[in-house]
Amino acid sequence: YYSLLSVEPHATPDEIRKAYRKLALRFHPDKNPDAGETFQKISTAYATLSDPQRRQVYDRFGEQGVQIMEQAAAYGVPPWLLNPAAQSGLLCVLLVVVVGLVVVFPVILTMRIDGGLAWPWPAVFTPLWLVDLLVLALAAASPRDRDAGCWRCVPNRRQVNLALLLAFQLLLAYKLDAGEQAPFSYSESFLPLEISIFLGAVAELCMHGRTALGRGRGGGQGAEGADRAAAQRRLVSVVARSSLQLSFLGLLGCRVDD
């Protein structure tokens, strides 16, 4: 782009604008009908280099980086995520999140259980909730799942799962803090997590059910048979895994309530 406009990579915005105007007058289709393609390339180069954000992305990733930024914007991804400064800031935030999840929360939880910390349980869960809220915000900004199956009526599958997980953590923290005074049992506090597992299983059953029942698409009879067998195995695995998870949570809730 810099060579197209005949400017240096460190050129100022005024120098880029002057160079573009000079070349635009020279290669404009009204004055030079045979230079339409050249004029289009010059215009594209100026549109990139005249925008500070696009120029930063171009300087770091080239023309392909600008194309990726435009495609990401079409899916709702903020363009600033490709900004080098924003990437550094995001990396710091993610580092803080990882440290909070992997180090801070387990340490606080262990100290609270051992009696070395007198914090209320909601305060103990605060680092984990901050991580949940960040992940929930990223899920809300991400594009909707294209293979949602039975989840087509749900705005964002990941967002719903994360919201249910956050609800489970809130109920559990309240139950631990209130004890017998809480208006619900431990088994009932596990309900959002059980709903998440159940809905995830239903979604997977919907996605693989048509193929397992012989209505899948394949390139031939042999391919269809192999796809059907794989889908059937997948269904069995989903049912077995979900049943074990739900059974474990139910038994755990009953054991803790006793």
Side-chain angles (χ1 to χ4, degrees):
Y1 286 166
Y2 291 105
S3 60
L4 280 174
L5 298 180
S6 300
V7 295
E8 297 294 330
H10 52 78
T12 64
D14 288 338
E15 292 173 343
I16 293 175
R17 183 168 55 254
K18 291 178 181 179
Y20 169 71
R21 288 178 178 177
K22 181 179 179 180
L23 293 173
L25 290 174
R26 178 181 175 185
F27 293 103
H28 197 280
D30 292 342
K31 293 185 177 181
N32 194 344
D34 297 330
E37 184 177 352
T38 302
F39 179 77
Q40 182 64 33
K41 292 180 179 179
I42 293 172
S43 299
T44 302
Y46 177 71
T48 299
L49 299 182
S50 62
D51 185 284
Q53 194 173 64
R54 288 172 176 262
R55 184 177 180 181
Q56 284 187 345
V57 174
Y58 176 78
D59 288 341
R60 184 168 185 178
F61 302 106
E63 185 177 355
Q64 187 176 7
V66 178
Q67 294 175 355
I68 293 175
M69 183 182 71
E70 294 175 349
Q71 294 173 357
Y75 283 96
V77 179
W80 56 265
L81 285 178
L82 292 178
N83 187 297
Q87 289 179 346
S88 300
L90 184 62
L91 182 61
C92 293
V93 172
L94 292 177
L95 182 61
V96 171
V97 167
V98 171
V99 171
L101 181 61
V102 177
V103 178
V104 177
F105 175 67
V107 170
I108 296 176
L109 181 64
T110 303
M111 293 177 62
R112 179 64 178 83
I113 294 174
D114 291 340
L117 198 63
W119 289 3
W121 280 103
V124 174
F125 276 81
T126 298
L128 188 60
W129 290 340
L130 293 176
V131 174
D132 292 340
L133 291 175
L134 178 61
V135 176
L136 190 61
L138 293 175
S142 63
R144 179 178 167 181
D145 296 337
R146 296 185 178 182
D147 58 344
C150 293
W151 287 78
R152 289 191 180 94
C153 58
V154 179
N156 193 308
R157 172 179 171 180
R158 287 165 291 185
Q159 188 176 355
V160 171
N161 282 331
L162 289 169
L164 289 170
L165 178 61
L166 181 59
F168 158 69
Q169 295 169 1
L170 289 169
L171 292 175
L172 181 60
Y174 179 77
K175 177 62 178 175
L176 288 170
D177 198 56
E180 296 297 331
Q181 298 179 358
F184 53 88
S185 63
Y186 282 103
S187 298
E188 293 170 337
S189 68
F190 291 157
L191 188 60
L193 191 58
E194 294 170 348
I195 292 175
S196 177
I197 294 173
F198 175 76
L199 292 179
V202 171
E204 290 192 69
L205 292 175
C206 289
M207 284 191 292
H208 301 287
R210 290 189 59 186
T211 304
L213 294 175
R215 293 191 294 240
R217 296 178 181 177
Q221 189 65 30
E224 289 184 4
D227 291 342
R228 188 181 305 116
Q232 291 172 351
R233 289 193 298 270
R234 180 63 177 172
L235 291 181
V236 173
S237 174
V238 169
V239 172
R241 184 188 70 236
S242 302
S243 300
L244 287 174
Q245 291 173 338
L246 293 174
S247 299
F248 171 75
L249 290 176
L251 293 174
L252 179 63
C254 294
R255 178 65 182 85
V256 176
D257 286 331
D258 290 340

